Amino acid sequence: MQDHSGSFVNLLPMVSSNLQKCHGTRKLSIASLALFVFFFLGFMGLQNMHSSFFNCGDSAAENFILQQQRRRQPTMDDGAKEAGAVAPLPMIGTTQNQQSEEDADCAGRYIYMYDLPPQFNQKIAEECTGNPAWIRLCEDLSNMGLGKQFILDSNDSLSNLLLPYDAWYKSNQYSLDIVYHERLKRYPCLTDDPEKAVFSYIPFYSALDFGQNMLDTTMSARDRLSQRLVGWLQNNPHWARTGGKNHLLLIGRIAQDHGRKEFEGQWGNCLLSLTELENVTKVVVDRFWWRDDQIAMPYPTSFHPYSDDQIVSWQQTILDNARRELPVLFVGGPRNDKYFSGSLRNKLMQQCLNSSRCTLLRCDIVDCEKNPQRLTHAFLKSVFCLQPPGDSPTRKGIFDCMVSGCIPVIFDPHSISDQYTVHLPMNVSSFSVLLDGQAAHDGELDVMEELSRIPATTIATMQRTINALIPNILYKRYDSNQTTRDAFDITLEALFNRFTRALTNSSENPRQQ
């Protein structure tokens, strides 16, 4: 039986006041009143007092019930209070069954989101103008990170091809900080109690921060916000208790941009090398494949569907274009750098120009980022799409071509196989072709000739596999009613599996904690 003795004394004056209001001049002694309340509580319970005693409309009565419900909520620890969290309060009338159903739906699925000061996210996104390193930043961050929607004019030859017409956006490859944050804001099992959560999410816009400071020649300027984040976290009791274990940082850029040692090197900032964050799991678009604390997520494409029907419709469009007129396509521009990746790209461009089987779409002539519809159309017409490494082994183009049914041809084993292990099959040869990049660079491999040897039946099987994988590499719209899992859902599932295993292992082996 529930003990109400703690609230009994506080209850008497309020009940007395309300009885006087309800019954006029009738007076009850304190002893009689106490006896009455004790009898009533014993049979009806504290919850029913709302209808029995307080039916006169006194606002003080409502406040009392509100206070009692608030007391019954799981209390926040100091860490949650420090982070600015506010405990959820069910509406008056919420039944225990409803709360139990909610708990059952979210059991083992709760996420705690830190309430960071605006300087770590909102302010970064708001300061999007006048950035020479990211000229179209404001446009790219619109529509909650999906970018500007492009709807083709009815006179455009592509208007009847890129359907559904309202599912296409000019999405920047580095906008996933906002995309994931906005999706997690809408996640149904957020909790304000960090001890209840499977993991804690730190909504720091690290990719945007670096994008705005990447051209600054002073390392301290590039590192400033990352170091301030660590300082803020260290003053949070929840962080102090966990040391960053079962915590998530989501970084919408390649790991290389954040992997510079704190007081060494030239390029990037020091976020991923800070020892204070070594226990934190990082999700990036291109991971250091030898690091166990990192998971890779797909780059965003231009296709962001609203419903399952839109996905099926686009998949059917791809199947209808199975007989493609362009054997090989290379989308890109020349690189004037000293690195192998830039030199390989230039050699592949030359091979493409020298072959009648290859079509070259130069992004230094056509603004590929501003005109993604032209890229999508070219990918849709091509059988193979060359995807050499760029600043890192991975490329956004791998996903852009796959979402249009084109088979990616890669030249670095780390472009896919060590990266997107939770989104794509481990057998990468089922949907892509891996060629020797060094041999192609040195002129010892004729890429077009090598691709021409692949049997038509193998090509058809790979195309069907890619078509089935398309939902895994998409990011749906925020107002979507799509039930098919997208890249966000798959990433989240991988995180729950990872953190649940870690919690199980720590409970079975307490010395590892």
Side-chain angles (χ1 to χ4, degrees), residues 204-432:
F204 173 41
Y205 291 173
S206 54
L208 300 186
D209 170 53
F210 178 70
Q212 294 180 5
N213 295 287
M214 59 189 292
L215 299 182
D216 200 307
T217 57
T218 57
M219 290 188 293
S220 59
R222 282 177 271 148
D223 295 344
R224 183 177 297 117
L225 210 55
S226 297
Q227 293 168 334
R228 287 179 179 175
L229 174 69
V230 169
W232 187 90
L233 288 171
Q234 288 178 327
N235 287 323
N236 184 285
H238 173 53
W239 171 272
R241 281 194 304 276
T242 62
K245 293 180 180 178
N246 296 331
H247 277 63
L248 169 67
L249 263 176
L250 196 134
I251 304 170
R253 292 187 75 98
I254 62 176
Q256 181 177 315
D257 289 343
H258 301 275
R260 198 200 80 245
K261 292 186 178 180
E262 193 166 5
F263 302 107
E264 302 177 19
Q266 298 295 325
W267 177 255
N269 67 25
C270 66
L271 180 66
L272 295 181
S273 66
L274 294 173
T275 57
E276 295 89 345
L277 301 178
E278 63 183 5
N279 291 328
V280 175
T281 294
K282 298 91 176 175
V283 176
V284 293
V285 293
D286 180 307
R287 64 184 287 262
F288 289 142
W289 53 269
W290 61 90
R291 293 273 295 265
D292 292 333
D293 62 338
Q294 297 176 12
I295 298 174
M297 58 185 169
Y299 289 87
T301 67
S302 295
F303 184 46
H304 303 286
Y306 169 77
S307 65
D308 295 319
D309 289 342
Q310 288 189 337
I311 296 178
V312 173
S313 174
W314 179 245
Q315 287 175 311
Q316 186 58 50
T317 298
I318 292 174
L319 293 175
D320 292 342
N321 287 269
R323 300 184 66 178
R324 297 167 179 244
E325 58 190 80
L326 303 180
V328 183
L329 174 70
F330 183 27
V331 175
R335 296 285 292 260
N336 298 318
D337 56 53
K338 60 183 178 180
Y339 300 106
F340 172 78
S341 60
S343 181
L344 172 61
R345 180 177 297 198
N346 294 339
K347 295 292 181 67
L348 290 175
M349 286 183 63
Q350 193 59 50
Q351 278 202 37
C352 185
L353 287 170
N354 294 339
S355 173
S356 60
R357 294 177 53 81
C358 186
T359 301
L360 177 63
L361 180 59
R362 291 187 54 164
C363 291
D364 59 328
I365 298 176
V366 177
D367 190 333
C368 295
E369 186 175 342
K370 193 174 182 179
N371 298 282
Q373 68 273 22
R374 304 302 167 191
L375 271 67
T376 302
H377 185 223
F379 289 141
L380 198 59
K381 296 191 298 181
S382 305
V383 178
F384 295 104
C385 293
L386 305 185
Q387 301 293 343
D391 294 330
S392 69
T394 66
R395 286 186 79 184
K396 181 179 184 292
I398 293 175
F399 299 97
D400 287 332
C401 77
M402 287 182 65
V403 84
S404 295
C406 188
I407 301 171
V409 180
I410 57 177
F411 299 85
D412 188 320
H414 302 302
S415 293
I416 298 178
S417 61
D418 295 316
Q419 297 287 343
Y420 311 101
T421 56
V422 299
H423 297 85
L424 298 173
M426 295 297 292
N427 180 17
V428 297
S429 62
S430 66
F431 62 91
S432 66

